[in-house]
Amino acid sequence: MTPRALLRLLATTSAAVLLLSSCASGDENTIAGRASKNDRLTIAVSYDQPGMAVRRLDGSYRGFDVDVAKFIANEFGVEEKNITWREAQPGNRETLLTSGEADLVVSTYSITDKRKELIDFVGPYFVAGQDLLVRMNETRIDGPKSLNASLRLCSTAGSTSAAYVRDQFANDVKMVEYAKFSDCVTALLASNVDAVTTDDVLLAGYAAQNPELLRVVGDPFSKEEYGVGLHRDDPTSKQKVQAALQKMIDTGAWRKSLEVNIGSSGYKIPDPPKLAP
């Protein structure tokens, strides 16, 4: 081999080693790259949504959304003990992502065009329908069209639910907003509001906690597609989240988690949705 050929071979080999090293360490400009290097992810979930995501008194987290978050983290190579949890509320989810406080948001996060102007989504990994939660002895409310100016409807600030009811069914209903759905449920039990609206799967969880006092009307009137929220312009991480969700569905872990977390509420578990490309 001539000296020139040897130098060319050495240069090519060095470039290949550098490329492999770069791939192994991960691009720190992506969620996947940072997770690979640091073995950490920060994921925002709700703390007060029975069946979906709850922070227990012992500091542990339980629910379907929590299981989705853990499954994704595992596919990113991050152990559960290395997940940093943040509280997601309806009014702060985009901010958590755009500010960098969270890498992912898994929080019954409905995919909308308006939200996609700020952040990106992978999903849907679950499809719910909006409904109403009322007191067990409530006779005035049998669906969104029965809401009127004499009734008080509660939802959370930043949620799409209340706006949809007002725009489509009951323009003059009195709106009451709280930061958390659990505050709405407390107000309902205290007769400070007459109904709570959000997705049926969430309402089923609250009704299951108070089966003698609360019930779901059972007349769903919208289609809510839940997605995993993440930063925009990160196609590598988006593909990795997509692959994780598909694997969770294909292996049966998706259905098993739903059966464990909301099966006892009587909520009919739907078939898994088809993930958008």
Side-chain angles (χ1 to χ4, degrees), residues 13-28:
T13 303
S14 297
V17 169
L18 287 172
L19 178 60
L20 288 171
S21 175
S22 174
C23 291
S25 62
D27 181 357
E28 290 192 53

Side-chain angles (χ1 to χ4, degrees), residues 1-271:
M1 182 179 290
T2 65
R4 179 175 296 178
L6 180 60
L7 287 172
R8 189 182 300 117
L9 176 62
L10 289 172
T12 301
T13 303
S14 297
V17 169
L18 287 172
L19 178 60
L20 288 171
S21 175
S22 174
C23 291
S25 62
D27 181 357
E28 290 192 53
N29 292 320
T30 70
I31 300 169
R34 291 193 297 273
S36 176
K37 181 175 181 178
N38 303 320
D39 188 28
R40 298 207 68 87
L41 274 173
T42 301
I43 305 178
V45 297
S46 299
Y47 283 8
D48 67 337
Q49 295 182 349
M52 299 301 284
V54 172
R55 183 182 182 184
R56 293 184 169 183
L57 293 177
D58 63 3
S60 64
Y61 299 84
R62 294 291 185 273
F64 174 63
D65 274 347
V66 174
D67 288 347
V68 171
K70 290 177 180 178
F71 197 98
I72 293 170
N74 185 67
E75 293 301 299
F76 272 71
V78 176
E79 296 181 54
E80 180 182 341
K81 66 180 182 180
N82 291 330
I83 299 174
T84 299
W85 300 102
R86 293 279 184 267
E87 183 177 13
Q89 297 181 14
N92 76 347
R93 291 175 293 194
E94 287 88 70
T95 303
L96 285 169
L97 292 170
T98 57
S99 67
E101 293 180 66
D103 298 311
L104 304 171
V105 171
V106 188
S107 176
T108 59
Y109 202 2
S110 296
I111 301 170
T112 68
D113 290 337
K114 184 176 180 180
R115 287 168 175 165
K116 286 194 286 187
E117 293 175 3
L118 298 174
I119 56 100
D120 211 343
F121 282 104
V122 179
Y125 65 90
F126 189 85
V127 179
Q130 188 176 340
D131 212 321
L132 299 169
L133 182 71
V134 297
R135 289 181 291 277
M136 184 62 72
N137 60 356
E138 177 62 66
T139 59
R140 298 167 296 172
I141 302 172
D142 57 11
K145 293 181 180 179
S146 60
L147 297 170
N148 55 54
S150 68
L151 299 171
R152 297 154 297 177
L153 177 66
C154 192
S155 192
T156 56
S159 169
T160 59
S161 302
Y164 185 76
V165 171
R166 175 175 281 174
D167 293 344
Q168 300 296 323
F169 301 104
N171 293 331
D172 56 353
V173 67
K174 294 178 182 176
M175 297 302 309
V176 179
E177 290 187 340
Y178 288 103
K180 299 179 179 181
F181 286 115
S182 56
D183 295 331
C184 278
V185 175
T186 299
L188 181 63
L189 289 167
S191 298
N192 292 326
V193 299
D194 301 299
V196 177
T197 187
T198 186
D199 304 341
D200 53 6
V201 66
L202 298 179
L203 299 179
Y206 289 117
Q209 287 188 324
N210 303 275
E212 297 179 357
L213 300 174
L214 300 176
R215 64 180 176 87
V216 180
V217 169
D219 182 23
F221 49 89
S222 76
K223 182 180 179 182
E224 304 296 328
E225 297 183 328
Y226 295 165
V228 176
L230 68 163
H231 307 276
R232 296 186 69 179
D233 304 319
D234 190 351
T236 299
S237 302
K238 185 175 180 179
Q239 289 176 359
K240 203 168 183 69
V241 172
Q242 174 106 1
L245 290 176
Q246 191 62 59
K247 183 176 179 179
M248 188 176 186
I249 291 171
D250 292 343
T251 59
W254 182 90
R255 181 169 294 278
K256 182 178 180 181
S257 174
L258 285 169
E259 289 172 348
V260 168
N261 288 295
I262 67 171
S264 62
S265 72
Y267 182 83
K268 184 179 179 181
I269 297 173
D271 292 331

